Amino acid sequence: AQSVAQPEDQVNVAEGNPLTVKCTYSVSGNPYLFWYVQYPNRGLQFLLKYITGDNLVKGSYGFEAEFNKSQTSFHLKKPSALVSDSALYFCAVSALSGGYNKLIFGAGTRLAVHP
Amino acid sequence: KAGVTQTPRYLIKTRGQQVTLSCSPISGHRSVSWYQQTPGQGLQFLFEYFSETQRNKGNFPGRFSGRQFSNSRSEMNVSTLELGDSALYLCASSRGTSGSSDTQYFGPGTRLTVL
């Protein structure tokens, strides 16, 4: 069965410092991996996805993610954090069995960027 | 291009009642998926529709049902509401033609409270 783990409930970082939000996955076959962000009382906003090819994926708002097959990880990164980046971040894997368009989400990581 | 819209944004119901939530996808998108988000269970997949057909279903009881219309708009219905059905219900749309690599775009959600 496919699964996603986000080992940190919360990540705290100072504004201007680099940030990393961790994600590991367990899938059979090649994974399709996604990052979404959720602001209070809002739906999920798509940040980026990995399908194939270059292991470094660039996304919206200056975010990027590094796919590492040997470590089964897909960590989200940003070189310089902003206070406005404070939100709930979800990693997800797209199910490769059982049909289309079924995303399996991690539990989420709350990012707090302090001024 | 307008995003995914969901109505209503907030609902308060009592146990035993039924509720219908509506979702209008991005223009041109033919796939609509529904997710339930709760603090305890996180984000869980309910079902996905494509061209008026349910293509995929999560592990929810039969009280949860949905349908899709010819214009791709979708509704989900929950009958005999229980307290545990209180959640944020998110709808997501995608083109539906790229298999598991499709990007899903989420609406703002409907916050359902069951008293």
Side-chain angles (χ1 to χ4, degrees):
Chain A
Q2 286 118 6
S3 65
V4 172
Q6 293 181 243
E8 301 155 318
D9 290 336
Q10 179 151 331
V11 169
N12 296 296
V13 64
E15 187 175 31
N17 283 2
L19 69 88
T20 299
V21 183
K22 296 179 181 178
C23 172
T24 59
Y25 64 89
S26 174
V27 301
S28 53
N30 295 321
Y32 298 140
L33 296 159
F34 299 78
W35 275 102
Y36 286 85
V37 60
Q38 186 176 35
Y39 295 96
N41 300 315
R42 303 279 293 276
L44 275 65
Q45 293 181 28
F46 169 72
L47 284 177
L48 50 80
K49 71 178 178 183
Y50 172 82
I51 303 299
T52 187
D54 195 350
N55 289 342
L56 187 64
V57 180
K58 294 192 182 295
S60 306
Y61 313 119
F63 284 94
E64 58 189 26
E66 186 170 11
F67 172 69
N68 187 316
K69 189 172 185 177
S70 62
Q71 297 185 4
T72 62
S73 67
F74 189 54
H75 300 332
L76 182 70
K77 300 181 179 185
K78 187 174 182 181
S80 179
L82 300 172
V83 172
S84 57
D85 293 329
S86 299
L88 189 56
Y89 290 80
F90 290 96
C91 181
V93 63
S94 185
L96 301 179
S97 63
Y100 296 91
N101 289 333
K102 175 182 177 178
L103 287 173
I104 298 169
F105 286 90
T109 298
R110 188 163 300 281
L111 173 65
V113 181
H114 304 283
Chain B
K1 204 175 200 183
V4 178
T5 58
Q6 292 187 245
T7 56
R9 292 293 310 278
Y10 301 91
L11 266 178
I12 300 176
K13 294 286 187 179
T14 56
R15 279 179 298 174
Q17 287 187 311
Q18 76 165 17
V19 67
T20 299
L21 313 181
S22 181
C23 171
S24 292
I26 292 170
S27 178
H29 285 189
R30 294 164 61 192
S31 169
V32 173
S33 299
W34 289 88
Y35 294 83
Q36 181 196 63
Q37 185 178 20
T38 60
Q41 300 298 317
L43 280 155
Q44 292 186 289
F45 173 78
L46 281 156
F47 30 63
E48 185 238 356
Y49 287 86
F50 178 80
S51 291
E52 303 179 68
T53 300
Q54 187 181 87
R55 259 194 327 196
N56 208 349
K57 189 176 187 305
N59 296 321
F60 278 81
R63 299 185 297 107
F64 292 82
S65 63
R67 59 177 175 169
Q68 186 179 36
F69 303 94
S70 58
N71 62 357
S72 294
R73 190 178 70 84
S74 176
E75 290 181 346
M76 69 163 280
N77 184 276
V78 187
S79 62
T80 320
L81 284 166
E82 301 177 359
L83 295 178
D85 297 334
S86 294
L88 181 66
Y89 289 88
L90 293 164
C91 162
S93 80
S94 68
R95 295 189 185 281
T97 54
S98 299
S100 297
S101 64
D102 251 355
T103 297
Q104 294 185 43
Y105 297 92
F106 285 78
T110 295
R111 173 75 61 185
L112 172 65
T113 302
V114 182
L115 302 176

